[in-house]
Amino acid sequence: MPRLLIVHHSPTPAIRALADAVIDGARSAADDGVEIVVREALVATAEDVLAADGYLLGTPANFGYISGALKHFFDSHFLDLGGALADDGSGAPSTGGRKPYGLWVHGRYDTTGAVR
């Protein structure tokens, strides 16, 4: 059965509501043959990633960048997922096909509409 892994960092009620809406949408859009697995960014494991066939990643924007929790998820599992770099700094050879992913980033706006 295909598996969709949703990894998110939702530290505030507003961002949690957004994550819940994404999760509910994924569950309602997936047919009965797709398993939806949801993990908080600080709880997700390399095994979760390797077992998935596709990914949705969610984060608040912090100074124009992903949250520290989602960055920690990437950084802590990089080598476990085959991300070792060759001596010349290039990526390791591919161990399989590429998997589809989506990313949602929730930014904050002030009253002028500027991103903060």
Side-chain angles (χ1 to χ4, degrees):
M1 171 184 319
R3 180 178 293 174
L4 174 65
L5 175 63
I6 301 174
V7 177
H8 65 95
H9 179 224
S10 305
T12 67
I15 295 172
R16 182 65 212 200
L18 175 63
D20 290 342
V22 169
I23 294 164
D24 290 345
R27 286 185 173 138
S28 67
D31 65 28
D32 293 333
V34 177
E35 179 184 2
I36 306 295
V37 177
V38 179
R39 299 284 188 264
E40 295 276 343
L42 295 175
V43 176
T45 66
E47 291 77 23
D48 292 328
V49 175
L50 292 171
D53 299 297
Y55 314 97
L56 279 176
L57 307 166
T59 179
N62 290 329
F63 302 106
Y65 194 64
I66 63 175
S67 71
L70 194 62
K71 183 172 183 329
H72 178 76
F73 163 74
F74 289 129
D75 291 348
S76 62
H77 300 308
F78 179 75
L79 293 176
D80 293 335
L81 297 172
L85 299 176
D87 289 339
D88 65 0
S90 63
S94 174
T95 57
R98 295 176 187 250
K99 297 181 181 183
Y101 72 94
L103 172 69
W104 82 85
V105 179
H106 183 277
R108 259 180 58 186
Y109 294 85
D110 64 21
T111 56
T112 67
V115 176
R116 299 194 304 157

